[in-house]
Amino acid sequence: MNGLHLIAELHDCRCARPLLQSVDALRELCLAVCAVPGLTPVGQVFHQFGSETNPAGATGAVILAESHLAVHTWPELNAVTLDLYVCNFSQDNSAAARAACEQLIAAFAPTCVERREIARGR
């Protein structure tokens, strides 16, 4: 159960609108970010809010062999929440989690970031 839990709230995001509105853009970003640092996606679920002609945000979760990533967008607020947890049972995945989190934050280009790191377990 030892691991690292990263939580971030992104405000005043300056990214392209589709990234905040489109479930497809969010899915592509999340899967790309998980692949780069070597995290292992084993499942995913994404949901589009609003409609195809009037998108109203997206939410998604990538289940990782190491644990999970969840992202929620609020285009009407130009805001995003991130939740990334990795367990460190067989190896320390903290660097991979931090790298993935930094890539997500960079992609959304917020002017204000509130983040927390929580060490899990003993």
Side-chain angles (χ1 to χ4, degrees):
M1 156 165 147
N2 292 333
L4 178 65
H5 200 156
L6 304 174
I7 300 169
E9 297 169 10
L10 314 181
H11 302 278
D12 300 318
C13 294
R14 297 166 293 159
C15 59
R17 293 302 294 170
L19 192 52
L20 293 173
Q21 294 177 324
S22 167
V23 73
D24 294 329
L26 182 63
R27 179 185 299 111
E28 184 178 326
L29 173 63
C30 289
L31 293 176
V33 162
C34 286
V36 171
L39 299 174
T40 313
V42 296
Q44 59 178 285
V45 64
F46 287 82
H47 177 75
Q48 177 73 61
F49 292 98
S51 66
E52 201 171 299
T53 56
N54 189 22
T59 191
V62 179
I63 306 307
L64 303 168
E66 299 80 12
S67 198
H68 73 267
L69 165 66
V71 180
H72 310 279
T73 71
W74 282 270
E76 68 278 12
L77 301 174
N78 291 325
V80 175
T81 60
L82 308 175
D83 179 325
L84 177 57
Y85 172 60
V86 293
C87 66
N88 292 328
F89 181 72
S90 60
Q91 67 182 27
D92 188 348
N93 295 299
S94 299
R98 286 186 181 104
C101 194
E102 288 304 318
Q103 289 177 1
L104 285 164
I105 291 169
F108 287 107
T111 60
C112 178
V113 179
E114 297 177 40
R115 57 175 107 194
R116 297 163 192 84
E117 285 196 11
I118 303 165
R120 307 278 304 261
R122 298 179 190 197

mmCIF file with all atom_site columns, all heavy atoms in Angstrom, residues 21-33:
data_model
loop_
_atom_site.group_PDB
_atom_site.id
_atom_site.type_symbol
_atom_site.label_atom_id
_atom_site.label_alt_id
_atom_site.label_comp_id
_atom_site.label_asym_id
_atom_site.label_entity_id
_atom_site.label_seq_id
_atom_site.pdbx_PDB_ins_code
_atom_site.Cartn_x
_atom_site.Cartn_y
_atom_site.Cartn_z
_atom_site.occupancy
_atom_site.B_iso_or_equiv
_atom_site.pdbx_formal_charge
_atom_site.auth_seq_id
_atom_site.auth_comp_id
_atom_site.auth_asym_id
_atom_site.auth_atom_id
_atom_site.pdbx_PDB_model_num
ATOM 1  N N   . GLN A 1 21 ? -12.910 20.521 -23.437 1.00 0.00 ? 21 GLN A N   1
ATOM 2  C CA  . GLN A 1 21 ? -14.279 20.160 -23.814 1.00 0.00 ? 21 GLN A CA  1
ATOM 3  C C   . GLN A 1 21 ? -14.436 18.744 -24.356 1.00 0.00 ? 21 GLN A C   1
ATOM 4  O O   . GLN A 1 21 ? -15.485 18.146 -24.191 1.00 0.00 ? 21 GLN A O   1
ATOM 5  C CB  . GLN A 1 21 ? -14.799 21.132 -24.886 1.00 0.00 ? 21 GLN A CB  1
ATOM 6  C CG  . GLN A 1 21 ? -14.953 22.540 -24.394 1.00 0.00 ? 21 GLN A CG  1
ATOM 7  C CD  . GLN A 1 21 ? -15.396 23.483 -25.499 1.00 0.00 ? 21 GLN A CD  1
ATOM 8  O OE1 . GLN A 1 21 ? -14.998 23.353 -26.651 1.00 0.00 ? 21 GLN A OE1 1
ATOM 9  N NE2 . GLN A 1 21 ? -16.215 24.446 -25.129 1.00 0.00 ? 21 GLN A NE2 1
ATOM 10 N N   . SER A 1 22 ? -13.441 18.224 -25.025 1.00 0.00 ? 22 SER A N   1
ATOM 11 C CA  . SER A 1 22 ? -13.582 16.987 -25.785 1.00 0.00 ? 22 SER A CA  1
ATOM 12 C C   . SER A 1 22 ? -13.052 15.760 -25.047 1.00 0.00 ? 22 SER A C   1
ATOM 13 O O   . SER A 1 22 ? -11.887 15.719 -24.647 1.00 0.00 ? 22 SER A O   1
ATOM 14 C CB  . SER A 1 22 ? -12.839 17.121 -27.113 1.00 0.00 ? 22 SER A CB  1
ATOM 15 O OG  . SER A 1 22 ? -12.685 15.874 -27.742 1.00 0.00 ? 22 SER A OG  1
ATOM 16 N N   . VAL A 1 23 ? -13.910 14.777 -24.924 1.00 0.00 ? 23 VAL A N   1
ATOM 17 C CA  . VAL A 1 23 ? -13.495 13.525 -24.296 1.00 0.00 ? 23 VAL A CA  1
ATOM 18 C C   . VAL A 1 23 ? -12.391 12.846 -25.104 1.00 0.00 ? 23 VAL A C   1
ATOM 19 O O   . VAL A 1 23 ? -11.492 12.226 -24.534 1.00 0.00 ? 23 VAL A O   1
ATOM 20 C CB  . VAL A 1 23 ? -14.708 12.597 -24.057 1.00 0.00 ? 23 VAL A CB  1
ATOM 21 C CG1 . VAL A 1 23 ? -15.224 11.995 -25.357 1.00 0.00 ? 23 VAL A CG1 1
ATOM 22 C CG2 . VAL A 1 23 ? -14.381 11.514 -23.057 1.00 0.00 ? 23 VAL A CG2 1
ATOM 23 N N   . ASP A 1 24 ? -12.435 12.986 -26.419 1.00 0.00 ? 24 ASP A N   1
ATOM 24 C CA  . ASP A 1 24 ? -11.402 12.365 -27.259 1.00 0.00 ? 24 ASP A CA  1
ATOM 25 C C   . ASP A 1 24 ? -10.036 13.001 -27.022 1.00 0.00 ? 24 ASP A C   1
ATOM 26 O O   . ASP A 1 24 ? -9.032  12.309 -26.928 1.00 0.00 ? 24 ASP A O   1
ATOM 27 C CB  . ASP A 1 24 ? -11.784 12.459 -28.737 1.00 0.00 ? 24 ASP A CB  1
ATOM 28 C CG  . ASP A 1 24 ? -13.026 11.639 -29.058 1.00 0.00 ? 24 ASP A CG  1
ATOM 29 O OD1 . ASP A 1 24 ? -13.258 10.605 -28.398 1.00 0.00 ? 24 ASP A OD1 1
ATOM 30 O OD2 . ASP A 1 24 ? -13.771 12.035 -29.980 1.00 0.00 ? 24 ASP A OD2 1
ATOM 31 N N   . ALA A 1 25 ? -10.006 14.332 -26.926 1.00 0.00 ? 25 ALA A N   1
ATOM 32 C CA  . ALA A 1 25 ? -8.738  15.027 -26.661 1.00 0.00 ? 25 ALA A CA  1
ATOM 33 C C   . ALA A 1 25 ? -8.213  14.674 -25.277 1.00 0.00 ? 25 ALA A C   1
ATOM 34 O O   . ALA A 1 25 ? -7.013  14.453 -25.092 1.00 0.00 ? 25 ALA A O   1
ATOM 35 C CB  . ALA A 1 25 ? -8.934  16.537 -26.792 1.00 0.00 ? 25 ALA A CB  1
ATOM 36 N N   . LEU A 1 26 ? -9.114  14.589 -24.294 1.00 0.00 ? 26 LEU A N   1
ATOM 37 C CA  . LEU A 1 26 ? -8.703  14.239 -22.933 1.00 0.00 ? 26 LEU A CA  1
ATOM 38 C C   . LEU A 1 26 ? -8.147  12.822 -22.887 1.00 0.00 ? 26 LEU A C   1
ATOM 39 O O   . LEU A 1 26 ? -7.104  12.570 -22.278 1.00 0.00 ? 26 LEU A O   1
ATOM 40 C CB  . LEU A 1 26 ? -9.874  14.400 -21.961 1.00 0.00 ? 26 LEU A CB  1
ATOM 41 C CG  . LEU A 1 26 ? -9.544  14.113 -20.500 1.00 0.00 ? 26 LEU A CG  1
ATOM 42 C CD1 . LEU A 1 26 ? -8.508  15.101 -19.966 1.00 0.00 ? 26 LEU A CD1 1
ATOM 43 C CD2 . LEU A 1 26 ? -10.817 14.142 -19.658 1.00 0.00 ? 26 LEU A CD2 1
ATOM 44 N N   . ARG A 1 27 ? -8.829  11.869 -23.536 1.00 0.00 ? 27 ARG A N   1
ATOM 45 C CA  . ARG A 1 27 ? -8.366  10.479 -23.565 1.00 0.00 ? 27 ARG A CA  1
ATOM 46 C C   . ARG A 1 27 ? -6.973  10.391 -24.187 1.00 0.00 ? 27 ARG A C   1
ATOM 47 O O   . ARG A 1 27 ? -6.075  9.738  -23.645 1.00 0.00 ? 27 ARG A O   1
ATOM 48 C CB  . ARG A 1 27 ? -9.343  9.602  -24.349 1.00 0.00 ? 27 ARG A CB  1
ATOM 49 C CG  . ARG A 1 27 ? -8.893  8.140  -24.444 1.00 0.00 ? 27 ARG A CG  1
ATOM 50 C CD  . ARG A 1 27 ? -9.803  7.291  -25.319 1.00 0.00 ? 27 ARG A CD  1
ATOM 51 N NE  . ARG A 1 27 ? -11.149 7.245  -24.794 1.00 0.00 ? 27 ARG A NE  1
ATOM 52 C CZ  . ARG A 1 27 ? -12.216 7.820  -25.376 1.00 0.00 ? 27 ARG A CZ  1
ATOM 53 N NH1 . ARG A 1 27 ? -12.069 8.500  -26.497 1.00 0.00 ? 27 ARG A NH1 1
ATOM 54 N NH2 . ARG A 1 27 ? -13.407 7.703  -24.840 1.00 0.00 ? 27 ARG A NH2 1
ATOM 55 N N   . GLU A 1 28 ? -6.790  11.052 -25.329 1.00 0.00 ? 28 GLU A N   1
ATOM 56 C CA  . GLU A 1 28 ? -5.497  11.011 -26.018 1.00 0.00 ? 28 GLU A CA  1
ATOM 57 C C   . GLU A 1 28 ? -4.379  11.545 -25.124 1.00 0.00 ? 28 GLU A C   1
ATOM 58 O O   . GLU A 1 28 ? -3.310  10.940 -25.019 1.00 0.00 ? 28 GLU A O   1
ATOM 59 C CB  . GLU A 1 28 ? -5.588  11.835 -27.304 1.00 0.00 ? 28 GLU A CB  1
ATOM 60 C CG  . GLU A 1 28 ? -4.340  11.793 -28.140 1.00 0.00 ? 28 GLU A CG  1
ATOM 61 C CD  . GLU A 1 28 ? -4.495  12.586 -29.429 1.00 0.00 ? 28 GLU A CD  1
ATOM 62 O OE1 . GLU A 1 28 ? -5.601  12.632 -29.994 1.00 0.00 ? 28 GLU A OE1 1
ATOM 63 O OE2 . GLU A 1 28 ? -3.482  13.165 -29.859 1.00 0.00 ? 28 GLU A OE2 1
ATOM 64 N N   . LEU A 1 29 ? -4.638  12.661 -24.456 1.00 0.00 ? 29 LEU A N   1
ATOM 65 C CA  . LEU A 1 29 ? -3.627  13.238 -23.563 1.00 0.00 ? 29 LEU A CA  1
ATOM 66 C C   . LEU A 1 29 ? -3.318  12.299 -22.405 1.00 0.00 ? 29 LEU A C   1
ATOM 67 O O   . LEU A 1 29 ? -2.149  12.033 -22.110 1.00 0.00 ? 29 LEU A O   1
ATOM 68 C CB  . LEU A 1 29 ? -4.103  14.588 -23.027 1.00 0.00 ? 29 LEU A CB  1
ATOM 69 C CG  . LEU A 1 29 ? -3.204  15.220 -21.954 1.00 0.00 ? 29 LEU A CG  1
ATOM 70 C CD1 . LEU A 1 29 ? -1.824  15.536 -22.510 1.00 0.00 ? 29 LEU A CD1 1
ATOM 71 C CD2 . LEU A 1 29 ? -3.866  16.445 -21.362 1.00 0.00 ? 29 LEU A CD2 1
ATOM 72 N N   . CYS A 1 30 ? -4.331  11.800 -21.742 1.00 0.00 ? 30 CYS A N   1
ATOM 73 C CA  . CYS A 1 30 ? -4.115  10.940 -20.568 1.00 0.00 ? 30 CYS A CA  1
ATOM 74 C C   . CYS A 1 30 ? -3.326  9.686  -20.916 1.00 0.00 ? 30 CYS A C   1
ATOM 75 O O   . CYS A 1 30 ? -2.393  9.304  -20.195 1.00 0.00 ? 30 CYS A O   1
ATOM 76 C CB  . CYS A 1 30 ? -5.452  10.572 -19.930 1.00 0.00 ? 30 CYS A CB  1
ATOM 77 S SG  . CYS A 1 30 ? -6.260  11.948 -19.090 1.00 0.00 ? 30 CYS A SG  1
ATOM 78 N N   . LEU A 1 31 ? -3.680  9.037  -22.018 1.00 0.00 ? 31 LEU A N   1
ATOM 79 C CA  . LEU A 1 31 ? -2.968  7.817  -22.404 1.00 0.00 ? 31 LEU A CA  1
ATOM 80 C C   . LEU A 1 31 ? -1.532  8.121  -22.820 1.00 0.00 ? 31 LEU A C   1
ATOM 81 O O   . LEU A 1 31 ? -0.612  7.366  -22.490 1.00 0.00 ? 31 LEU A O   1
ATOM 82 C CB  . LEU A 1 31 ? -3.726  7.087  -23.507 1.00 0.00 ? 31 LEU A CB  1
ATOM 83 C CG  . LEU A 1 31 ? -5.077  6.518  -23.069 1.00 0.00 ? 31 LEU A CG  1
ATOM 84 C CD1 . LEU A 1 31 ? -5.802  5.905  -24.258 1.00 0.00 ? 31 LEU A CD1 1
ATOM 85 C CD2 . LEU A 1 31 ? -4.919  5.505  -21.939 1.00 0.00 ? 31 LEU A CD2 1
ATOM 86 N N   . ALA A 1 32 ? -1.321  9.232  -23.508 1.00 0.00 ? 32 ALA A N   1
ATOM 87 C CA  . ALA A 1 32 ? 0.040   9.609  -23.909 1.00 0.00 ? 32 ALA A CA  1
ATOM 88 C C   . ALA A 1 32 ? 0.903   9.911  -22.691 1.00 0.00 ? 32 ALA A C   1
ATOM 89 O O   . ALA A 1 32 ? 2.057   9.492  -22.607 1.00 0.00 ? 32 ALA A O   1
ATOM 90 C CB  . ALA A 1 32 ? -0.008  10.813 -24.843 1.00 0.00 ? 32 ALA A CB  1
ATOM 91 N N   . VAL A 1 33 ? 0.337   10.625 -21.735 1.00 0.00 ? 33 VAL A N   1
ATOM 92 C CA  . VAL A 1 33 ? 1.080   10.995 -20.529 1.00 0.00 ? 33 VAL A CA  1
ATOM 93 C C   . VAL A 1 33 ? 1.424   9.760  -19.701 1.00 0.00 ? 33 VAL A C   1
ATOM 94 O O   . VAL A 1 33 ? 2.514   9.669  -19.134 1.00 0.00 ? 33 VAL A O   1
ATOM 95 C CB  . VAL A 1 33 ? 0.268   12.023 -19.715 1.00 0.00 ? 33 VAL A CB  1
ATOM 96 C CG1 . VAL A 1 33 ? 0.751   12.126 -18.300 1.00 0.00 ? 33 VAL A CG1 1
ATOM 97 C CG2 . VAL A 1 33 ? 0.337   13.374 -20.394 1.00 0.00 ? 33 VAL A CG2 1
#
